[in-house]
Structures are given as structure tokens and as C-alpha cells.
């Protein structure tokens, strides 16, 4: 199978598999146990925390392990807003192109209290062309709502289109107004460098001057299986000085997230983080895959009539591994099945992949016409993708689009 669905999940790297296996065979004890074996398991967890902290360049103690990015998103949003709403800050500023984990928690928090929500006021930030946050409109919203904003939540890179948000500007504007900023970095971490400014450093700002390109992000989530770890471990970066109401009570993770730590998945996350950090030192490797993505995109746009890209034309405005292409006249699900039969894995928007025929809400929010959204496919590469795979994928895609169009399995 040619896997061009890496934004859904990635193949665990050898180092992650080895770390998980070792943890399962030898460090299977409870990391909270005081005996020596338990403490060996604790060391595995803390080593991994150090490896992830090193990738993000943050302090290990500001990382909370969770089961997934979805759980980290839930903890950040619910945990912050449960304290913000009673303090007179019920507003959440977010976008309509977030991953559904963020869209769903914002919707849930916006429900009235008697329906289990918090009665939060969710405001969508206008998007400029190409699906990027309109920074001027965002600045106006901040000014308009700022004393009542509990949280700003904007992703770093979109999982369906790869569109990169202006996180640096968003963070700076939030910081200037003292507004809490959460960034869903699930698709970014491990693929691109992260430099956070850690404003609440106990060592004092004067001792650790943040680098110029540092991001003003208060909370950020990641997920091991998106960068060659294994499923079952994610993390929330959140400075200790940010008050957050825990959602799963327990003594683990310094009270921020209860439940015995899944040591193998955490060990794999740490190993994957270390490998990713080394890989990020070789930008030419990233350029190699970006060139493959561009080649895939350009050839498809050239060879398939009416095909067009969803998202900005500038390849740097999108994550290097992702392209989202519309094949009008085709139903995405029909295409995906044809691809799959011929050995190619790709995917459509989240709603389509879950069996619904609704077009992707992300593409709709970007202003993609419905007929194009219905026939849109995401292709996502990884650092392991080979040139020969792209060449083979192109032939499969071109053939399948022709077949589906001929058969008339099209979007109305
Ligand atoms: N956020 C983004 C941008 C994602 O792409 C995903 C997964 O596709 C998630 C959050 C959820 O990640 P997880 O599978 O770890 O819950």
C-alpha cells in the first residue's frame, strides 16, 4: 500500500517500537510504585518527558502526558474555561477550520449550563482567502471582546489542507492583551521546529531571553502517532502558572491528569520526539519531501481536467507534506475506494471519512464550492515517502478519476 494518509497516522519508527517493546517487557511496573521496579518505569516516563520537552524547547515539568491530542484539547479548553467563565470571561475566539476535536469541544462549552455546557460564547475569527486567519479582523475581535475572553484557540497547521496559521502574530496580539492562547499543533510538531518563549519562566525573563522567532503560546497539544510514535500518548504543554482545572482526577501528572501512565506509548512518544528532533536538523530532507508533494500536486493539476488545489498556491503557506485537491465531478468516497483497491491510501475531509456524505466543514468554511468539496482528497506524505511511490500514485489517481467520472459516480 502506498500510504499518502500520514495526517491520519504515521508508521511507528524503529526507535519508537523498540522503546515501547522494552517498556512492555522490562518496565511494565506502575510508575507510581515506590519500589525499585516502579521507579524504573518512572524513569522511562521522565526520560520521555525530557525528550518531548527538548523537541519543544520547554521545561519538562510543563508537559502533561495524555492519551491523545484530543484529550489534551479537551483538558486545555474545558480546564481553562471552567475557571474563566465564572471569572466573567466566557468568550472563546476560534476558527471554523479547526480539527473537529476543537470544534466539538467549543460547541459543547457553548451549550447552555442546563444542557451540560458552560454557556460560553464562541466567536469565529474571519478567515482571509486560502483559509488563513484574517489578522486585522482578529485584532479587532480582540479589542472588542478582550476583557471577556477566556481563551483563543487556533491551530498551527490544518490537518486537511496543511494551511499554516499566523501563529506568531496571533500569539503576540494575545500576549499584549494578557489573553490565554491555545494552539493545536498536532500536525506541526515533529514536522517543523517549535520555539516557545516560556514567559512564566521561574528563572526570570532577564536570564533566558526568548529567541526572536519564539512563539507566544500558553498551551499547545501534540500526539505521538502523528510523528512516528505509537497511538495512546499525546501531551499538553501548559506552563505551570496557567490555572487549569483537571478533568480526570488523580495524583498522576502532578494532579493535572489522573490515571496510571501508559509507559510503552509514552516511551515511544519520547523516542519519536528524539528522532524527529534529529531529523529537523536536516532541512534538505524536508525540502526533498516538499518537492515530492509539489510534484504530485503539479502533475495532477496538469493531467486531470478541472482539478484544482484547495488552499493557497504558495507552497510555503502550507505544511510541506500536505496537499488537498478537488476533482469536481467525482464523489470523494468513490475515489477513495478505487484508490484503495489499487493500493493507494488517502483520505477526504473528516466528515466524509466517518461515513457521512456531508462535505468537509473545513473546506466549506474556506469557501470551497460544495461540488468541489464533495470531490476533494487529501494526500499527506511523510519523511519516508519515496519518489517512486509518488510516480505510482499519480498514475493510480489519474486512472481512478477517469474511471469514476466515466461511471458517473459524481458529486451533484
Ligand atoms: N488536531 C489535529 C490538527 C489533528 O490532525 C488530529 C488528528 O487527526 C487531532 C487534533 C486529534 O489527534 P489524536 O488522534 O491524537 O486524538
Amino acid at each position: 500500500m502506498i500510504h499518502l494518509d500520514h495526517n491520519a497516522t504515521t508508521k511507528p519508527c524503529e526507535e519508537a517500537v523498540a522503546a515501547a517493546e522494552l517498556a512492555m517487557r522490562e518496565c511494565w511496573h506502575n510508575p507510581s510504585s515506590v519500589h525499585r521496579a516502579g521507579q524504573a518505569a518512572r524513569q522511562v516516563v521522565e526520560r520521555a518527558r525530557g525528550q518531548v520537552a527538548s523537541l519543544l524547547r520547554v521545561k519538562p515539568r510543563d508537559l502533561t502526558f495524555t492519551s491523545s491530542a484530543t484529550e489534551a484539547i479537551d483538558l486545555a479548553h474545558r480546564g481553562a474555561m471552567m475557571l474563566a467563565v465564572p471569572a466573567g470571561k466566557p468568550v472563546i475566539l476560534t476558527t471554523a477550520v479547526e480539527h473537529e476535536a476543537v470544534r466539538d469541544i467549543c460547541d459543547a462549552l457553548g451549550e447552555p449550563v442546563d444542557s451540560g455546557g458552560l454557556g460560553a460564547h464562541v466567536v469565529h475569527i474571519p478567515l482571509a482567502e486560502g483559509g488563513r486567519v484574517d489578522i486585522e479582523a482578529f485584532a479587532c475581535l480582540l479589542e472588542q471582546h478582550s476583557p471577556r475572553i477566556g481563551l483563543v484557540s487556533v491551530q498551527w497547521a490544518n490537518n486537511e489542507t496543511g494551511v499554516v496559521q499566523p501563529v506568531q502574530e496571533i500569539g503576540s496580539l494575545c500576549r499584549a492583551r494578557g489573553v490565554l492562547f491555545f494552539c493545536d499543533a498536532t500536525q506541526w510538531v515533529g514536522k517543523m521546529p517549535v520555539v516557545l518563549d516560556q514567559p512564566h519562566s521561574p528563572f526570570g525573563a532577564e536570564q533566558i531571553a526568548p529567541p526572536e522567532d519564539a512563539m507566544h503560546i500558553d498551551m499547545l497539544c501534540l500526539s505521538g502517532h502523528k510523528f512516528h510514535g505509537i497511538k495512546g500518548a499525546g501531551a499538553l504543554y501548559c506552563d505551570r502558572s496557567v490555572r487549569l482545572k483537571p478533568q480526570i482526577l488523580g495524583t498522576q501528572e502532578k494532579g493535572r491528569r489522573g490515571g496510571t501512565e501508559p509507559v510503552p506509548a509514552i516511551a515511544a512518544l519520547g523516542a519519536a520526539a528524539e528522532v524527529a528532533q534529529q531529523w529537523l536538523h536536516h532541512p534538505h530532507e524536508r525540502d526533498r519531501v516538499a518537492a515530492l508533494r509539489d510534484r504530485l500536486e503539479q502533475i495532477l493539476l496538469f493531467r486531470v481536467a478541472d482539478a484544482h488545489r484547495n488552499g493557497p498556491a504558495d507552497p510555503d503557506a502550507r505544511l510541506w507534506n500536505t496537499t488537498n485537491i478537488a476533482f469536481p465531478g467525482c464523489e470523494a468516497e468513490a475515489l477513495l475506494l478505487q484508490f484503495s483497491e489499487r493500493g493507494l491510501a488517502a483520505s477526504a475531509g473528516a466528515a466524509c471519512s466517518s461515513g457521512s456524505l456531508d462535505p468537509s466543514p473545513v473546506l466549506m468554511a474556506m469557501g470551497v464550492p460544495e461540488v468541489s468539496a464533495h470531490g476533494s482528497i487529501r494526500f499527506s506524505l511523510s519523511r519516508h515517502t519515496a519518489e517512486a511511490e509518488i510516480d505510482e500514485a499519480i498514475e493510480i489517481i489519474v486512472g481512478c478519476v477517469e474511471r469514476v467520472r466515466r461511471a458517473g459516480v459524481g458529486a451533484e
Side-chain angles (χ1 to χ4, degrees):
M1 200 85 184
I2 301 170
H3 190 71
L4 296 186
D5 197 16
H6 288 94
N7 287 7
T9 200
T10 54
K11 184 178 176 195
C13 60
E14 290 304 321
E15 292 82 349
V17 173
E21 192 179 346
L22 190 71
M24 279 190 283
R25 287 192 193 285
E26 292 182 22
C27 298
W28 47 268
H29 305 84
N30 190 324
S32 297
S33 297
V34 291
H35 49 70
R36 208 156 16 124
Q39 288 314 294
R42 165 63 48 207
Q43 270 180 21
V44 172
V45 171
E46 296 316 317
R47 173 158 193 260
R49 203 186 306 277
Q51 288 164 315
V52 177
S54 171
L55 176 65
L56 301 183
R57 295 197 243 172
V58 299
K59 291 186 290 299
R61 66 185 195 123
D62 291 336
L63 287 173
T64 301
F65 286 126
T66 58
S67 62
S68 58
T70 302
E71 190 198 324
I73 287 166
D74 188 272
L75 171 59
H77 288 70
R78 216 181 274 280
M81 292 308 290
M82 281 173 85
L83 299 173
V85 174
K89 294 175 173 237
V91 177
I92 302 175
L93 295 189
T94 184
T95 78
V97 291
E98 299 302 307
H99 184 269
E100 65 179 344
V102 171
R103 282 188 275 124
D104 288 354
I105 185 68
C106 289
D107 288 350
L109 297 177
E111 290 279 310
V113 176
D114 57 9
S115 303
L118 292 177
H121 179 36
V122 182
V123 178
H124 282 152
I125 307 164
L127 301 171
E129 219 188 310
R132 270 168 70 92
V133 160
D134 178 335
I135 266 298
E136 279 176 22
F138 175 64
C140 290
L141 281 180
L142 267 185
E143 188 170 339
Q144 187 187 338
H145 294 284
S146 102
R148 301 183 70 242
I149 299 174
L151 186 66
V152 168
S153 176
V154 179
Q155 64 191 183
W156 206 322
N158 186 273
N159 46 300
E160 290 182 39
T161 59
V163 170
V164 175
Q165 294 296 353
V167 167
Q168 186 145 32
E169 288 100 311
I170 294 171
S172 301
L173 288 166
C174 288
R175 186 58 53 82
R177 291 196 175 262
V179 170
L180 198 61
F181 175 35
F182 168 84
C183 181
D184 174 1
T186 310
Q187 292 294 348
W188 183 270
V189 172
K191 296 190 187 107
M192 292 294 282
V194 174
V195 184
L196 301 182
D197 67 341
Q198 306 193 63
H200 312 282
S201 163
F203 307 112
E206 55 296 333
Q207 271 173 317
I208 321 173
E212 259 174 36
D213 55 349
M215 303 283 163
H216 302 298
I217 295 173
D218 301 299
M219 296 192 282
L220 172 149
C221 70
L222 58 92
S223 180
H225 77 100
K226 302 290 184 184
F227 59 98
H228 307 282
I230 64 173
K231 290 156 197 70
L236 176 68
Y237 159 77
C238 176
D239 190 280
R240 283 277 142 192
S241 64
V242 172
R243 287 186 61 229
L244 212 56
K245 201 162 172 63
Q247 299 302 306
I248 302 177
L249 302 182
T251 51
Q252 291 87 355
E253 295 298 294
K254 297 207 163 66
R256 276 217 162 140
R257 196 270 188 183
T260 302
E261 295 90 340
V263 182
I266 290 175
L269 169 59
E274 192 172 313
V275 174
Q277 192 173 0
Q278 285 158 6
W279 183 80
L280 286 168
H281 283 130
H282 304 286
H284 58 275
E285 263 300 299
R286 202 159 68 217
D287 295 345
R288 179 192 70 83
V289 188
L292 290 182
R293 185 274 311 262
D294 294 348
R295 177 180 158 83
L296 171 72
E297 189 173 288
Q298 282 156 16
I299 295 183
L300 288 179
L301 297 188
F302 179 72
R303 285 184 55 186
V304 180
D306 300 331
H308 55 267
R309 175 194 326 100
N310 296 316
D314 177 2
D316 293 335
R318 291 173 290 137
L319 208 51
W320 53 264
N321 77 321
T322 309
T323 182
N324 190 306
I325 300 185
F327 303 102
C330 294
E331 187 61 66
E333 283 190 334
L335 274 181
L336 291 177
L337 289 175
Q338 292 273 335
F339 292 169
S340 175
E341 274 175 24
R342 284 157 186 81
L344 171 65
S347 70
C352 185
S353 58
S354 67
S356 151
L357 286 177
D358 289 343
S360 149
V362 167
L363 297 183
M364 297 302 283
M366 286 168 65
V368 173
E370 202 166 328
V371 67
S372 296
H374 269 293
S376 292
I377 304 283
R378 168 186 79 186
F379 302 101
S380 46
L381 288 64
S382 83
R383 60 184 191 234
H384 303 305
T385 303
E387 191 174 341
E389 289 181 297
I390 293 299
D391 290 342
E392 205 180 326
I394 290 169
E395 296 311 320
I396 294 174
I397 298 163
V398 171
C400 288
V401 172
E402 270 172 21
R403 214 166 293 114
V404 168
R405 281 183 175 166
R406 258 203 318 271
V409 193
E412 294 300 315

